[in-house]
Short mmCIF file of all heavy atoms in Angstrom, two decimals:
data_model
loop_
_atom_site.label_atom_id
_atom_site.label_comp_id
_atom_site.label_asym_id
_atom_site.label_seq_id
_atom_site.Cartn_x
_atom_site.Cartn_y
_atom_site.Cartn_z
N ASP C 83 -51.70 43.49 -34.16
CA ASP C 83 -50.25 43.58 -34.07
C ASP C 83 -49.82 43.42 -32.63
O ASP C 83 -48.91 42.66 -32.24
CB ASP C 83 -49.75 44.91 -34.55
CG ASP C 83 -49.77 45.03 -36.11
OD1 ASP C 83 -49.72 43.98 -36.75
OD2 ASP C 83 -49.78 46.12 -36.58
N HIS C 84 -50.51 44.15 -31.78
CA HIS C 84 -50.15 44.16 -30.35
C HIS C 84 -50.32 42.72 -29.75
O HIS C 84 -49.43 42.24 -29.09
CB HIS C 84 -51.05 45.12 -29.63
CG HIS C 84 -50.92 45.04 -28.12
ND1 HIS C 84 -49.69 45.26 -27.51
CD2 HIS C 84 -51.82 44.79 -27.12
CE1 HIS C 84 -49.86 45.18 -26.19
NE2 HIS C 84 -51.13 44.87 -25.94
N MET C 85 -51.42 42.13 -30.10
CA MET C 85 -51.65 40.79 -29.56
C MET C 85 -50.66 39.75 -30.08
O MET C 85 -50.17 38.92 -29.33
CB MET C 85 -53.07 40.38 -29.84
CG MET C 85 -54.05 41.20 -29.03
SD MET C 85 -55.75 40.67 -29.30
CE MET C 85 -56.47 41.12 -27.69
N ALA C 86 -50.40 39.84 -31.35
CA ALA C 86 -49.42 38.89 -31.92
C ALA C 86 -48.03 39.13 -31.23
O ALA C 86 -47.37 38.16 -30.94
CB ALA C 86 -49.30 39.14 -33.45
N GLU C 87 -47.76 40.39 -31.00
CA GLU C 87 -46.49 40.69 -30.35
C GLU C 87 -46.44 40.11 -28.90
O GLU C 87 -45.47 39.58 -28.50
CB GLU C 87 -46.29 42.23 -30.31
CG GLU C 87 -44.89 42.60 -29.92
CD GLU C 87 -44.80 44.12 -29.80
OE1 GLU C 87 -45.37 44.80 -30.66
OE2 GLU C 87 -44.11 44.61 -28.87
N LEU C 88 -47.57 40.27 -28.26
CA LEU C 88 -47.65 39.71 -26.92
C LEU C 88 -47.43 38.19 -26.96
O LEU C 88 -46.69 37.64 -26.14
CB LEU C 88 -49.05 39.94 -26.31
CG LEU C 88 -49.29 41.26 -25.61
CD1 LEU C 88 -50.65 41.30 -24.97
CD2 LEU C 88 -48.22 41.46 -24.49
N MET C 89 -48.03 37.54 -27.92
CA MET C 89 -47.88 36.09 -28.03
C MET C 89 -46.43 35.75 -28.26
O MET C 89 -45.87 34.81 -27.68
CB MET C 89 -48.78 35.54 -29.11
CG MET C 89 -50.27 35.55 -28.75
SD MET C 89 -51.31 35.08 -30.11
CE MET C 89 -50.84 33.35 -30.31
N HIS C 90 -45.81 36.49 -29.16
CA HIS C 90 -44.37 36.23 -29.38
C HIS C 90 -43.51 36.49 -28.24
O HIS C 90 -42.50 35.86 -27.98
CB HIS C 90 -43.92 37.07 -30.63
CG HIS C 90 -44.17 36.39 -31.92
ND1 HIS C 90 -43.54 35.24 -32.27
CD2 HIS C 90 -45.01 36.69 -32.89
CE1 HIS C 90 -44.00 34.87 -33.50
NE2 HIS C 90 -44.89 35.74 -33.89
N GLN C 91 -43.95 37.51 -27.46
CA GLN C 91 -43.20 37.82 -26.25
C GLN C 91 -43.20 36.70 -25.29
O GLN C 91 -42.20 36.32 -24.68
CB GLN C 91 -43.82 39.06 -25.64
CG GLN C 91 -42.90 39.87 -24.74
CD GLN C 91 -43.65 41.05 -24.21
OE1 GLN C 91 -44.18 41.85 -24.93
NE2 GLN C 91 -43.69 41.15 -22.90
N VAL C 92 -44.40 36.12 -25.09
CA VAL C 92 -44.55 34.99 -24.19
C VAL C 92 -43.66 33.84 -24.75
O VAL C 92 -42.88 33.23 -23.98
CB VAL C 92 -46.01 34.49 -24.15
CG1 VAL C 92 -46.09 33.19 -23.39
CG2 VAL C 92 -46.89 35.57 -23.52
N LEU C 93 -43.80 33.58 -26.00
CA LEU C 93 -43.06 32.48 -26.59
C LEU C 93 -41.52 32.73 -26.46
O LEU C 93 -40.79 31.80 -26.20
CB LEU C 93 -43.43 32.33 -28.10
CG LEU C 93 -42.92 31.11 -28.81
CD1 LEU C 93 -43.40 29.85 -28.09
CD2 LEU C 93 -43.41 31.15 -30.25
N GLY C 94 -41.16 33.95 -26.65
CA GLY C 94 -39.76 34.31 -26.59
C GLY C 94 -39.19 34.03 -25.21
O GLY C 94 -37.96 33.79 -25.06
N GLY C 95 -40.01 34.10 -24.19
CA GLY C 95 -39.51 33.89 -22.79
C GLY C 95 -39.38 32.46 -22.47
O GLY C 95 -39.02 32.11 -21.32
N ALA C 96 -39.63 31.59 -23.38
CA ALA C 96 -39.58 30.13 -23.10
C ALA C 96 -38.25 29.55 -23.54
O ALA C 96 -37.75 29.88 -24.65
CB ALA C 96 -40.75 29.46 -23.80
N SER C 97 -37.73 28.69 -22.76
CA SER C 97 -36.50 28.04 -23.10
C SER C 97 -36.85 26.92 -24.09
O SER C 97 -36.10 26.65 -25.07
CB SER C 97 -35.77 27.50 -21.90
OG SER C 97 -36.68 26.77 -21.08
N ASP C 98 -37.98 26.30 -23.84
CA ASP C 98 -38.36 25.21 -24.73
C ASP C 98 -39.60 25.54 -25.58
O ASP C 98 -40.72 25.27 -25.21
CB ASP C 98 -38.63 23.94 -23.85
CG ASP C 98 -38.93 22.72 -24.69
OD1 ASP C 98 -38.98 22.88 -25.93
OD2 ASP C 98 -39.01 21.64 -24.14
#
Side-chain angles (χ1 to χ4, degrees):
Chain C
D83 284 337
H84 174 58
M85 289 184 152
E87 191 183 321
L88 272 185
M89 288 175 65
H90 274 293
Q91 203 180 305
V92 171
L93 189 58
S97 47
D98 186 352

